[in-house]
Amino acid sequence: MSQTIIKDLMPKDELLASGHLACPGCAAPVAMNLVLKALGPQTVVTLPACCWSIIAGPWPQSSLRVPLFHTAFETGGAVASGIKAGLAARGDTETTVIAWAGDGGTFDIGLQALSGAAERNEDIIYFCYDNEAYMNTGIQRSSATPWGAWTTTTPTGEPEATPKKDMVSILAAHGIPYIATASVAYPVDLVEKVKRARTIRGTRFIHILAPCPPGWKTQNDETIDLARQAVQTRVFPLFEVENGRNWRLTVDHADEPVAPYIRRQARFKHLTDEQVERIQADVDDRWERLQRRIDCGT
Amino acid sequence: MKKVMIGNHAVSWGVQRSRVEVISAYPITPQTQIVEELSDMCADGRLPARYIKVESEHSAMAACIGASAAGVRTFTATSAQGLALMHELLHWAAGGRLPIVMADVNRAMAPGWNIWTDQNDSLSQRDTGWIQLYCETNQEVFDTTVQAFRLAEQINLPVMIILDAFFLSHTSEPVDLTDQEIVDEFLPQRVAQYKLDPSDPHAFGALVRPDAYMEMRWQQQEAMRDTLRVMPEVDEAWGALTGRRYGAIEEYRTEDAELLLVTSGTITSTARHVVDARRSSGEKIGLVKIKMFRPFPTALLRSALAGADRVAVLDRNISPGHGGIFAEETRSALYDVPLEDRPTLFGYVLGLGGRDVTPSVIEAIVDRTREAEAPERQDLWVGVEL
C-alpha cells in the first residue's frame, strides 16, 4: 500500500494547524491529527498538563480548530465528565468530549480521576498518548517507563527497576465498553478504532504509543519506524477490548526479536545482552497472557 | 413558603430554587446532608440537574470546572479536609473566571480529627480568588445561596457560601423559601460570555507568558473590586423582592458606641444578645458583623469602626505565627484612619474546633476589652489564657 493511498483513506478534516510547538519527530501531534480527523469538528478536547500543553500553543493562539480546555495535571477524567454533563444539560448530547493526556497524567497522577470516570461509565473518550516518561519536564520516569530504561531520575547506574504498568488491564477491569491500543505507524487501524469508539456510548479508552526522540534518544526520522517495530516485536500489540472482555487483535503481528528495537534507542544503551533477553522474556510473557485472553474471550 | 429546616437543607433549597444544572459532589461530615437532599431532589424531579457522583472532592471541583466552562450553572459543597483537597482547583476555577458556587460548612482541620466548627478551612483558601460570604442564620444561608449565583455570574468569579458546622448545618430554624417565580425573576438562566462551543472554538487556560500574565491577574483583581459594588446591588435587588437584606457588613447598634465587637458567622447571634443586655444597662456598645470576607470590605469597615475607642475582634480561626485572621485584616483596614479617630484593636481567638462561645464568654471579652490598659499581644486565646 503506497502512502498516497493511505492519505486517501484518511478523513479530510484538518483540525490541527501547522505551527504547533512539538519537537521535531514527535509522535504526539501525529496522533492528535489522526484522532481529530476521525472525530471531526464536533469535538471538545480536555487537556490536562502534558507535552501537549505546550504543543497546543500559548495564549492567544491555539493549534487546534476545536474547543480546547487546558486543566490541572490530575483532572482529565473529572473535567471531561463535567464538560460532557454541562453540554448535555443544555441538550447537546452529540458533541464528543475527549480527554487527551500523557502517560504521567494517565498512569500516575490522573489515575484516580480516570478510574472514577470509567467506573461511572462517563460518556467520554480518554486518550493516552504514551511517550513512556515525563517528557515535558525533561525525561523523568513514570509508571509507564519500561524496565531497564534510562531517564533523568533513573540514571544508568540505577535504571528503571519495574516493568511498565499494565494500564489496559486496569481499564478492562472497570468493564468499560471499549478499549483499544493504537499506533501512529498504523493510521488506518487508528482511525478505524477512533471512528468505532465515536459510535459507542460510555467510557472509551484509547492508548497510543508515542515515540519521543529526545526522551528515547532516537533520531527524529525514526519515529514512525520505531512505532511500527514496537508492534511487530509485540512490545506494543494492537488490539481492542469490549466491555472488559472480547479481546481481539486488529493487525497481524510478526514475531520480530526485541533486541534491534531496544538497541536503536540510546535510553537502553547501558543494558547487557542478558538484560535485553530479560526484556524479550517479559514481552513473550505479556504476549502469552494476551493470547490467553483472546482465546478464552474474557 | 416557610419551612423549618437545618442549615444544610437551606443550602439545598437555595440550589433547587436557583435551577442549578450540574452538581458534582463527594460526602464529608458535616456537609453531607446538603448533597443527600440534592440527590433526592434530582431523583424525584424537584431539581432536573445532572448529578455527578465523583470519587473525591478534588474531582468534584474538577467536574464543576468542566461543566461551568461548558456554560451551565454548577454547584458543589464540602468541608475542611475536602476543601483543602480542592485547593489547586480553587485557583483553576477563579483564574478561569468560572462562576461556580460552593457551600463550605466550616469545620476544623485535622489533626486531631475534629468535625466541629471553626473557620480555618475556608480562611486557608483566602488567596485562591474566591468571593467568601459568611452566614449567621439558616434564612441567610438560603438567601445567600440564591444571591451567590447572580453575583458569581455577573462578575465571573466563583463564590463560597460559608456556614458554621452544627450551629447552622444541623440546627433547625424556620426558613422562608422564596417562591420559584420570584427567584426566576431575580436569577434567569445563565448566559455564559465565553464557553466551550464546537461552533465557535477557542482555547481556555493556555500558557500565558510574563508579558500578559499580570494583566490577567489585574482583571481578576478588578473583578474583586467590582464585587465591592455589585454585591450590595445584588443584595438590594434580592431585598426589593423579599424584604431581606444583609450587606457586606452589618452595623448593629453602633450609634455612639465606644466599644465595638467585630464578629462573623453564628458567634454574631450570641454577641447580639450581649450587646442588647449591655445597652439596656447603659453601656455604649455595638457590633459589626463581617459577612463578606473576600473581597474585604475595607472602606465600609473603616467607616463603621472609626470613632469607637476600642474594637474587639472575635476570631474562630488562627493564622499560626500571626494572629486571628479577621483581627489582622481589620487592623490593616484601620491603618489609614487618622490616629485620633483610630480605635485600639483587641484580637481574641476563641471557639476553635467547635468549643462553645457562650454569652458569658463574650461578656468576659467585653469586660476585658473595656478594662485592659492596652492589648498585650495581637491575639489573646479565650479559654486558654483568659
Side-chain angles (χ1 to χ4, degrees):
Chain A
M1 194 182 286
S2 76
Q3 277 188 326
T4 314
I5 294 173
I6 288 180
K7 193 176 175 189
D8 288 344
L9 288 170
M10 293 292 110
K12 299 293 177 255
D13 283 325
E14 294 293 347
L15 297 170
L16 170 62
S18 60
H20 62 73
L21 298 178
C23 305
C26 176
V30 181
M32 177 70 93
N33 190 33
L34 292 170
V35 164
L36 288 182
K37 277 178 171 292
L39 292 176
Q42 202 174 344
T43 302
V44 173
V45 177
T46 312
L47 193 66
C50 57
C51 288
W52 250 97
S53 307
I54 304 302
I55 298 171
W59 177 87
Q61 296 160 325
S62 174
S63 61
L64 297 186
R65 295 191 175 98
V66 295
L68 169 61
F69 194 72
H70 293 263
T71 185
F73 209 165
E74 65 285 6
T75 61
V79 170
S81 302
I83 293 172
K84 186 69 192 183
L87 294 174
R90 293 280 173 98
D92 175 4
T93 54
E94 289 310 305
T95 294
T96 303
V97 177
I98 73 167
W100 182 265
D103 47 295
T106 303
F107 287 60
D108 292 342
I109 197 168
L111 180 58
Q112 175 177 322
L114 169 57
S115 174
E119 175 275 324
R120 296 189 304 271
N121 200 23
E122 296 285 351
D123 191 21
I124 60 173
I125 312 180
Y126 191 106
F127 290 91
C128 174
Y129 70 100
D130 175 7
N131 50 29
E132 300 195 320
Y134 290 90
M135 298 311 188
N136 197 33
T137 45
I139 321 168
Q140 295 81 33
R141 64 87 61 183
S142 74
S143 61
T145 302
W147 183 89
W150 163 91
T151 69
T152 59
T153 52
T154 51
T156 52
E158 201 173 332
E160 176 56 28
T162 55
K164 186 183 181 85
K165 187 189 279 184
D166 184 356
M167 257 325 278
V168 163
S169 289
I170 291 170
L171 267 299
H174 287 71
I176 56 174
Y178 186 73
I179 297 169
T181 58
S183 170
V184 291
Y186 293 78
V188 176
D189 178 74
L190 188 153
V191 166
E192 285 303 314
K193 284 168 172 165
V194 177
K195 279 182 167 175
R196 183 156 179 231
R198 192 175 187 278
T199 65
I200 297 167
R201 288 293 158 117
T203 305
R204 294 138 285 169
F205 179 76
I206 297 183
H207 184 190
I208 305 171
L209 187 69
C212 167
W216 292 18
K217 304 292 176 204
T218 53
Q219 297 303 308
N220 296 342
D221 61 0
E222 288 184 298
T223 297
I224 301 299
D225 197 44
L226 269 165
R228 183 180 299 111
Q229 201 173 12
V231 173
Q232 291 306 325
T233 54
R234 301 170 174 176
V235 167
F236 194 84
L238 297 185
F239 57 95
E240 296 174 319
V241 189
E242 294 169 337
N243 302 309
R245 47 189 72 216
N246 302 333
W247 296 60
R248 186 174 77 81
L249 292 172
T250 58
V251 301
D252 291 330
H253 292 70
D255 187 13
E256 292 177 12
V258 165
Y261 171 72
I262 297 296
R263 287 300 182 201
R264 68 194 293 196
Q265 303 174 49
R267 62 174 171 158
F268 293 116
K269 73 177 176 191
H270 51 280
L271 296 184
T272 63
D273 287 346
E274 290 71 31
Q275 287 172 319
V276 174
E277 280 305 308
R278 177 178 166 169
I279 294 174
Q280 179 71 62
D282 183 57
V283 167
D284 292 344
D285 181 56
R286 287 183 187 231
W287 177 259
E288 176 65 28
R289 279 185 283 152
L290 178 61
Q291 287 299 323
R292 282 205 296 272
R293 284 171 145 162
I294 290 165
D295 291 345
C296 72
T298 60
Chain B
M1 175 179 63
K2 273 200 173 179
K3 283 184 75 167
V4 174
M5 65 177 66
I6 58 173
N8 277 341
H9 287 171
V11 176
S12 313
W13 278 100
V15 170
Q16 187 271 345
R17 285 291 196 266
S18 301
R19 297 189 189 273
V20 165
E21 294 163 283
V22 174
I23 296 161
S24 173
Y26 186 79
I28 184 170
T29 303
Q31 165 279 123
T32 310
Q33 293 146 324
I34 296 174
V35 297
E36 285 177 342
E37 183 70 8
L38 286 171
S39 302
D40 279 345
M41 288 172 165
C42 291
D44 65 23
R46 279 177 290 166
L47 177 59
R50 278 153 209 278
Y51 188 132
I52 310 175
K53 286 142 195 171
V54 286
E55 83 299 332
S56 69
E57 289 91 350
H58 194 283
S59 285
M61 183 48 61
C64 281
I65 286 170
S68 189
V72 303
R73 188 168 290 157
T74 63
F75 174 82
T76 189
T78 191
S79 284
Q81 315 301 128
L83 184 62
L85 183 62
M86 288 179 183
H87 175 74
E88 182 200 3
L89 296 172
L90 299 186
H91 286 277
W92 277 94
R97 304 297 301 273
L98 298 170
I100 298 163
V101 171
M102 167 165 62
D104 175 56
V105 179
N106 262 155
R107 166 184 158 177
M109 296 297 298
W113 279 121
N114 180 299
I115 57 170
W116 297 277
T117 202
D118 77 35
Q119 299 170 323
N120 258 75
D121 59 347
S122 53
L123 292 174
S124 294
Q125 308 305 333
R126 184 187 65 176
D127 299 335
T128 55
W130 282 60
I131 294 167
Q132 290 200 357
L133 303 173
Y134 289 77
C135 297
E136 181 188 353
T137 66
N138 290 354
Q139 183 67 60
E140 187 178 356
V141 166
F142 172 80
D143 293 332
T144 305
T145 304
V146 177
Q147 285 191 21
F149 287 102
R150 176 152 155 184
L151 177 61
E153 290 166 18
Q154 191 167 335
I155 291 285
N156 286 314
L157 285 177
V159 178
M160 198 183 295
I161 312 153
I162 298 144
L163 56 151
D164 289 353
F166 300 105
F167 299 126
L168 286 186
S169 69
H170 288 61
T171 302
S172 291
E173 293 183 331
V175 176
D176 187 352
L177 297 176
T178 307
D179 289 345
Q180 188 65 62
E181 308 81 67
I182 294 172
V183 178
D184 287 347
E185 185 187 332
F186 175 78
L187 184 69
Q189 191 183 54
R190 180 182 168 206
V191 179
Q193 202 177 348
Y194 306 102
K195 62 178 179 179
L196 294 165
D197 178 1
S199 67
D200 183 24
H202 294 277
F204 296 77
L207 182 78
V208 178
R209 295 182 171 122
D211 61 352
Y213 185 88
M214 273 190 77
E215 281 73 7
M216 251 185 79
R217 288 288 165 268
W218 169 258
Q219 288 178 349
Q220 221 177 319
Q221 176 74 337
E222 287 283 272
M224 276 289 184
R225 277 195 272 265
D226 279 351
T227 303
L228 292 168
R229 173 180 54 81
V230 173
M231 186 272 181
E233 288 173 5
V234 169
D235 190 48
E236 180 49 41
W238 182 248
L241 292 168
T242 65
R244 298 187 297 271
R245 301 166 173 85
Y246 301 93
I249 67 168
E250 179 197 339
E251 298 186 42
Y252 182 71
R253 307 192 75 171
T254 54
E255 66 285 356
D256 70 19
E258 293 165 356
L259 192 158
L260 288 172
L261 300 172
V262 174
T263 60
S264 60
T266 54
I267 286 178
T268 309
S269 301
T270 312
R272 286 181 202 271
H273 288 285
V274 174
V275 167
D276 289 345
R278 294 288 180 118
R279 277 278 180 184
S280 63
S281 60
E283 283 189 47
K284 291 182 173 178
I285 181 171
L287 165 71
V288 175
K289 163 185 162 183
I290 298 179
K291 175 186 175 75
M292 185 163 73
F293 175 72
R294 275 295 178 273
F296 196 68
T298 302
L300 287 172
L301 205 55
R302 203 179 277 155
S303 83
L305 299 179
D309 297 329
R310 297 193 167 199
V311 168
V313 184
L314 279 54
D315 268 303
R316 195 169 222 147
N317 63 77
I318 177 65
S319 174
H322 199 29
I325 294 166
F326 281 86
E328 296 310 330
E329 302 237 353
T330 304
R331 185 176 279 119
S332 164
L334 291 175
Y335 187 79
D336 287 340
V337 175
L339 206 51
E340 60 273 20
D341 294 329
R342 191 190 303 165
T344 305
L345 190 145
F346 293 71
Y348 296 95
V349 172
L350 75 178
L352 299 186
R355 184 171 297 190
D356 267 349
V357 178
T358 60
S360 62
V361 169
I362 298 176
E363 299 272 1
I365 288 170
V366 170
D367 291 341
R368 197 261 176 192
T369 306
R370 191 178 291 289
E371 290 154 18
E373 268 184 44
E376 298 155 26
R377 272 204 327 274
Q378 285 169 292
D379 56 315
L380 194 76
W381 287 52
V382 182
V384 181
E385 297 177 297
L386 178 69

